[in-house]
Amino acid sequence: MNIVILAAGMGKRMQSALPKVLHSLAGKPLLAHVIATARALSPTTLCIIYGHGGEAVPESLGAPDIVFAKQEPQLGTGHAVMQAVPQLRDEVPTLILYGDVPLTARNSLQQLLDSAGGNKLAVLTVELENPTGYGRIVRRQGNIVGIVEQKDATEAERAIREVNTGIMVAPTAQLKKWLATLSNDNAQREYYLTDIVARAVADGVPVVSAQPAAVWETLGVNSKVQLAELERIHQRNIADALLEQGVTLADPARIDVRGTLTCGRDVQIDINCVFEGEVVLEEGVTIGAHCVIRNARIARGAEIKPFCHIDGAVIGAESVIGPYARLRPGTELAEDVHVGNFVEVKNSQVAAHSKANHLAYLGDATIGSRVNIGAGTITCNYDGANKFRTVIEDDAFIGSDTQLVAPVRVGKGANLGAGTTLTKDAPEGKLTISRAKQMTIENWKRPVKIKK
């Protein structure tokens, strides 16, 4: 099939310089959601109509399987589809979607395609309690004979509750012919795509309909209010799917998934957690409240305590992280690693059973097994121009308030005394310490404030 996505609108009510279809829902642009659904249908042609915002849309979402056509000026939905005509193959049907309607399910579109067959015009419709603003589906003896827009509708037509979603499938050769006959003789002075319904009826082409599983599949975004409403609908759908998989959510209304979250059995997630990119939580993982986790894999039985930020990290089984820990890209923790409060780890590998429980920075480090990192420890990995690596071997003990000036190596079983600034390798099995000699100054007096 051909698929055309209309994405040229200005979106004045968004009150933003950003094109409407590039505003984010669940961490990616509205239009990206529609493109993903379109690709799931394996179209032979995927054409996006853009306009408002100049080249921002093709620059942001361009890909080899997408062709773009510019609509300028924007003279209505019918005029928008006209811009795609040179790209459309006559021998397959054309499905028309909207870049600001992000949640339409693949199954609902497949049902619409099945209804259309190869020779019918099929319209996706819904029934609304309050149809104000929508084009009404006009039927005679049960058959669709037209769609009338709100501003052009009579009082009787405005009472109709079945409305047009704008999504439709048409036989392409006829679609091209119908588009060529459209007129802008209406209240908006625009070329309505909906006028092709009357053209199809006049040509004896059957006009059929299909309905989505839920009304929210057809909801569009015209304002920040509607965007926020759709965000919550989408997040609740994700939460419900997680619950059905056996994930325990402290409150399904307080979770945000902005990417893909894959969970094993008996995963527990507390309130106000945000998951971005590709996140995998294996069996028995516990996520505390207010965590932000991006592009991470957390192995079985690990516990992430509240207020942790994890980005681009791999966390081993039975590890304990936080609270208030930050794991940055390149962090790889083996099993039973403890990273405690106000500890930051970046581009470092930590082997099994090692601990950094308090107030430390571990950057560009390779840390062995059963290592204890004392509070206030810092790997000094950056000289202002280049970064260097610190190596701490198995069973080492790093005393509190230690600075390891990279490049430097701490040998197996070595001990560093508290307050040490290590600038040379520390030999294995020995105590290394660098500390100013303690002194007491006799007859010293505390300064007093001078009276003026």
Side-chain angles (χ1 to χ4, degrees):
M1 79 196 81
N2 307 303
I3 295 182
V4 179
I5 303 176
L6 307 189
M10 181 179 295
K12 289 182 181 179
R13 290 168 56 194
M14 299 297 286
Q15 300 293 327
S16 172
L18 186 70
K20 178 170 65 171
V21 295
L22 295 184
H23 284 264
S24 289
L25 177 83
K28 66 180 182 180
L30 295 169
L31 180 56
H33 288 269
V34 185
I35 291 171
T37 304
R39 284 176 173 147
L41 295 167
S42 301
T44 48
T45 302
L46 177 54
C47 180
I48 295 176
I49 309 302
Y50 73 102
H52 178 69
E55 301 301 314
V57 171
E59 288 174 359
S60 298
L61 296 170
D65 63 331
I66 298 174
V67 293
F68 289 90
K70 191 169 187 178
Q71 182 192 21
E72 194 174 40
Q74 287 90 52
L75 301 177
T77 52
H79 180 256
V81 179
M82 291 177 195
Q83 313 313 305
V85 164
Q87 309 295 337
L88 305 181
R89 294 172 50 186
D90 288 357
E91 67 273 17
V92 294
T94 295
L95 169 63
I96 298 167
L97 303 175
Y98 294 81
D100 60 356
V101 182
L103 301 184
T104 313
R106 178 190 182 281
N107 288 344
S108 295
L109 295 178
Q110 189 61 59
Q111 181 183 344
L112 182 68
L113 289 161
D114 293 343
S115 298
N119 59 353
K120 302 182 189 72
L121 175 62
V123 182
L124 195 69
T125 72
V126 291
E127 288 205 9
L128 301 177
E129 289 292 330
N130 179 9
T132 302
Y134 288 86
R136 309 304 202 275
I137 301 296
V138 180
R139 294 180 182 266
R140 293 198 186 103
Q141 298 178 337
N143 298 316
I144 296 176
V145 295
I147 300 174
V148 60
E149 297 297 326
Q150 168 88 18
K151 292 186 177 182
D152 301 309
T154 65
E155 186 173 346
E157 288 168 338
R158 291 186 181 185
I160 297 170
R161 290 173 48 197
E162 184 183 16
V163 302
N164 170 44
T165 68
I167 296 172
M168 59 179 65
V169 182
T172 302
Q174 286 94 329
L175 173 64
K176 291 179 178 180
K177 183 182 75 170
W178 298 332
L179 289 171
T181 69
L182 292 183
S183 165
N184 66 346
D185 185 17
N186 52 58
Q188 293 289 88
R189 307 302 298 171
E190 292 184 348
Y191 297 91
Y192 293 151
L193 181 63
T194 49
D195 287 347
I196 70 172
V197 173
R199 308 295 197 276
V201 171
D203 286 351
V205 174
V207 182
V208 297
S209 63
Q211 289 72 43
V215 171
W216 52 257
E217 291 187 41
T218 68
L219 297 179
V221 173
N222 291 302
S223 67
K224 294 290 180 63
V225 171
Q226 292 175 342
L227 180 61
E229 290 170 348
L230 269 194
E231 181 76 45
R232 293 326 325 150
I233 289 170
H234 184 54
Q235 293 299 337
R236 184 57 199 239
N237 291 339
I238 293 172
D240 287 347
L242 291 171
L243 292 167
E244 290 294 333
Q245 295 167 20
V247 177
T248 298
L249 301 179
D251 184 350
R254 288 187 284 176
I255 180 175
D256 281 82
V257 179
R258 301 168 187 169
T260 301
L261 175 60
T262 303
C263 296
R265 296 184 65 183
D266 298 315
V267 168
Q268 299 182 54
I269 301 173
D270 210 330
I271 62 169
N272 294 334
C273 291
V274 178
F275 300 91
E276 301 179 342
E278 301 289 329
V279 176
V280 176
L281 308 180
E282 295 185 3
E283 180 177 344
V285 167
T286 299
I287 307 294
H290 308 286
C291 290
V292 178
I293 301 176
R294 178 188 298 114
N295 295 324
R297 174 177 286 273
I298 302 175
R300 58 176 177 78
E303 179 184 3
I304 312 300
K305 294 184 177 181
F307 296 99
C308 289
H309 283 226
I310 298 171
D311 182 6
V314 176
I315 298 172
E318 307 298 334
S319 291
V320 180
I321 310 300
Y324 295 99
R326 184 184 183 197
L327 306 184
R328 292 168 58 192
T331 296
E332 297 181 14
L333 310 182
E335 65 178 0
D336 186 36
V337 170
H338 290 202
V339 175
N341 46 280
F342 304 105
V343 175
E344 179 180 354
V345 185
K346 188 270 295 186
N347 191 31
S348 296
Q349 295 74 49
V350 183
H353 315 299
S354 291
K355 299 179 181 180
N357 278 326
H358 322 278
L359 302 161
Y361 170 68
L362 304 175
D364 300 299
T366 301
I367 299 171
S369 297
R370 299 172 301 278
V371 172
N372 184 84
I373 306 291
T377 294
I378 298 172
T379 58
C380 306
N381 58 325
Y382 183 51
D383 67 0
N386 301 292
K387 294 190 177 180
F388 300 93
R389 199 151 192 88
T390 297
V391 177
I392 303 174
E393 296 183 356
D394 296 348
D395 298 303
F397 183 96
I398 310 300
S400 296
D401 195 28
T402 294
Q403 299 86 47
L404 299 105
V405 182
V408 72
R409 176 182 293 270
V410 178
K412 184 176 180 180
N415 280 250
L416 300 187
T420 292
T421 299
L422 192 73
T423 58
K424 299 178 181 179
D425 291 356
E428 66 178 66
K430 297 183 182 298
L431 171 64
T432 298
I433 186 168
S434 70
R435 184 186 299 164
K437 182 179 178 180
Q438 183 171 317
M439 298 171 55
T440 299
I441 309 299
E442 300 292 342
N443 302 319
W444 175 85
K445 293 183 179 180
R446 185 187 300 271
V448 296
K449 188 172 183 178
I450 298 173
K451 295 182 179 180
K452 294 182 179 180

